[in-house]
Amino acid sequence: MNSAQHLVYDVTSYLDEHPGGDDVVLASTGKDATDDFEDAGHSKSAKELMQNFCIGELDTSSPIIPELEISSKKETTDYSQKLMDLTKQYWAVPVAVVGISVVVGFLYLRRK
Ligand code: HEM
């Protein structure tokens, strides 16, 4: 689905017929494809054809921005959590190496 001027298009059935190829259209799915569509220099007939694939209007009254803010906050906490986990892992590696060396050295000395 692509949206232009807050309109949503389902172009699934047109993918195979698109003269510019399906890959370029697929690259614009799920986002605002207005710029992509305009940059490709589509003809007037192409714009008219596009109207056939309009399935609705994007609900811009929904709290898109607050939702994005919440999810980005979650991401930052997840990220710092990941960093904490990584730090713990990095500490564990040298500690384990030193611990093993001490045990092996101790056993070696006792044998002599
Ligand atoms: C429902 C949406 C779309 C329709 C109906 C459509 C239709 C067409 C048509 C009829 C042409 C032939 C040239 C012309 O008449 O202008 C064309 C070419 C092209 N389209 Fe689309 N298009 C759509 C979406 C897109 C999107 C989202 C892109 C993304 C970049 C795109 C990229 C291109 C390109 C690059 C060409 C040029 C191909 C060439 O000259 O070889 N189109 N399109």
Side-chain angles (χ1 to χ4, degrees):
M1 278 188 277
N2 310 306
S3 80
Q5 286 143 18
H6 303 305
L7 296 172
V8 181
Y9 300 88
D10 181 358
V11 292
T12 320
S13 57
Y14 186 65
L15 284 175
D16 285 343
E17 291 163 53
H18 183 239
D22 56 358
D23 47 348
V24 283
V25 183
L26 283 173
S28 308
T29 48
K31 58 164 192 157
D32 188 344
T34 317
D35 289 344
D36 293 339
F37 187 84
E38 295 297 331
D39 288 350
H42 284 96
S43 63
K44 199 167 169 265
S45 64
K47 281 172 194 165
E48 281 163 11
L49 188 63
M50 187 174 78
Q51 301 317 313
N52 298 331
F53 301 101
C54 184
I55 54 164
E57 208 171 318
L58 200 65
D59 183 3
T60 44
S61 64
S62 313
I64 294 170
I65 291 164
E67 262 175 39
L68 281 174
E69 273 174 14
I70 291 162
S71 67
S72 71
K73 266 182 203 163
K74 270 186 201 156
E75 261 175 38
T76 23
T77 43
D78 281 355
Y79 186 66
S80 55
Q81 188 61 43
K82 271 181 199 163
L83 254 176
M84 287 287 287
D85 290 348
L86 271 176
T87 318
K88 277 179 200 159
Q89 276 182 356
Y90 279 119
W91 274 106
V93 172
V95 165
V97 169
V98 170
I100 291 165
S101 314
V102 167
V103 171
V104 169
F106 187 69
L107 289 173
Y108 180 74
L109 282 175
R110 274 186 71 182
R111 272 190 198 174
K112 271 196 165 176

